[in-house]
Amino acid sequence: MLARLRTYTLLGIDALPVEVEVDLSPAALPKTILVGLPEAAVRESTHRVERAIVNSGFVRPQDRVVINLAPGDLPKQAPSFDLPVALGVLAGSGQFASDRLEHYAVVGELALEGYTRPVKGALSMAMAAAAQEGLRGIVVPAASAQEAAVVEGLDVIPVETLAQAVGFFSGSLHIDPAPSRLEEWFAELSTYELDFGDVRGQEMAKRALTLAAAGMHNLLMIGPPGSGKTMLAKRLPTILPELTAAESLETTRIYSALGQLTPGQPLLATRPFRSPHHTISDAGLVGGGSPPGPGEISKAHHGILFLDELPEFNRKTLEVMRQPLEDGVVTISRALRSTTFPADFMLIAAANPCPCGYRGDARRTCNCTLPQIEKYVNKISGPLLDRIDIHIEVPAVPFEELAGTGTGTDSQKMRDDVLRARVAQSKRFAEQLTSYNAQMSSREVRRYCPLDDASKNQLRDSVEERGLSARAHDKILRVARTIADIDGADEISLVHLNEAINYRSLDANIWT
């Protein structure tokens, strides 16, 4: 007797449909054969399934069981095939009959005693089920139900045991679908505990961070240890617009596929903030492995990637980030297939001005020699610096500001400026693929960033004096456009342009 069920396998962060076919035929000795490119975790599932069937009160078939996972050329991995395989064996052996198997997909891992365990990628699988014709819903472990229920328009059936799943499919047990609590999760989880009001002084740095958030510009902070660079960076998500539902789903499915969602939090409602250590590998930063998995830049999708102590990172590791910074995606290619992961993030980096960190600090003596400083600075390549729109100095905070009782600019004020600029950008790019000023193409820069004669002369002098590249030229104009948007100006003025030029401090070779 043949039983057929629908399930999914993960490839990267995408869930691909798989058909589980179970055929039972008489044989002298019981034997189970699993075909369809199963990986080790899937091959081992036959032993878990057999004991889960027996320990759940069902009968293990004493026949020849052939389990086919189609399509046969797609590698199958992870233990999420346990539940569909067990149901297929029971249905194929006639221990229950159901007309629901073709209307519901099934995913889930089984314990030996028949209980279900959560699976990675439940959100991606639910999204795939919602898009697949002919499916009414998906049966998932109860521990993964909240995550899958984020997808609206799909019945998510939570089951705690194999026996419950059999009862649901046979019609003897009614299980209500898990409710979609999308709006409730957003209201509960979209809050931040940090605030820029906690940061004493550094008003110029706050201004630069406001511009970076408004136009999605990459930013580099240079300053001595303890000047507040990390403190500022950690508060940047608090001034970004709230995640939309679509953005949240895109980011959440990355963490779902990796099994890194916080327990009790099936949805990311705040902007991700990733701060990897400088010893991170190439694969850890951009993604890789076999099969390819997402790295830190993908985990920062729609959020912030903060690289503290930028010169301490391996130069080769930083170089592989250049292409994703431009394209917003990263493609990991292997001999048999390639996988593309989203990587639309804002890069915030921090560095000391020299190896000891105190060059230019009036309160401390720097003993670094010029060759040492040059060697330290040269760890960061010119092409990477070229892709960072805003460079700012973050000096040590004077005692008077540290001990003062007044509060500086808080997150709410900065966020109001950001939202005002974002509204202007949404109107400007309403009918285009571009969303932010930082994403403008060269053609769009010429269209939306016209300059008067005085501004053109100023920009020409700066380009010639500092030897700026064509990319740096366009980035100055993009930043100037963002400054004008915050000021509510339709045209870029000389004041806006001068401020944007000042944010290219590294181009003036201030370190050497």
Side-chain angles (χ1 to χ4, degrees), residues 466-502:
R466 304 187 183 194
L468 299 180
S469 67
R471 181 185 286 113
H473 168 275
D474 285 356
K475 286 191 176 296
I476 287 175
L477 291 177
R478 293 185 184 105
V479 173
R481 179 68 268 171
T482 300
I483 298 170
D485 288 342
I486 288 181
D487 288 349
D490 294 331
E491 303 294 336
I492 298 174
S493 69
L494 183 60
V495 174
H496 302 144
L497 183 66
N498 282 331
E499 183 177 356
I501 292 173
N502 288 335

Side-chain angles (χ1 to χ4, degrees), residues 262-320:
T262 304
Q265 183 178 332
L267 186 73
L268 288 180
T270 57
R271 301 274 176 181
F273 179 87
R274 303 297 302 182
S275 180
H277 192 261
H278 62 259
T279 57
I280 192 171
S281 65
D282 300 3
L285 185 63
V286 300
S290 181
E296 288 291 332
I297 64 173
S298 295
K299 294 179 189 178
H301 185 54
H302 291 312
I304 309 296
L305 178 68
F306 177 52
L307 301 183
D308 200 5
E309 306 295 345
L310 185 65
E312 300 301 332
F313 281 79
N314 185 290
R315 179 164 178 162
K316 180 174 175 288
T317 301
L318 292 177
E319 294 306 296
V320 298

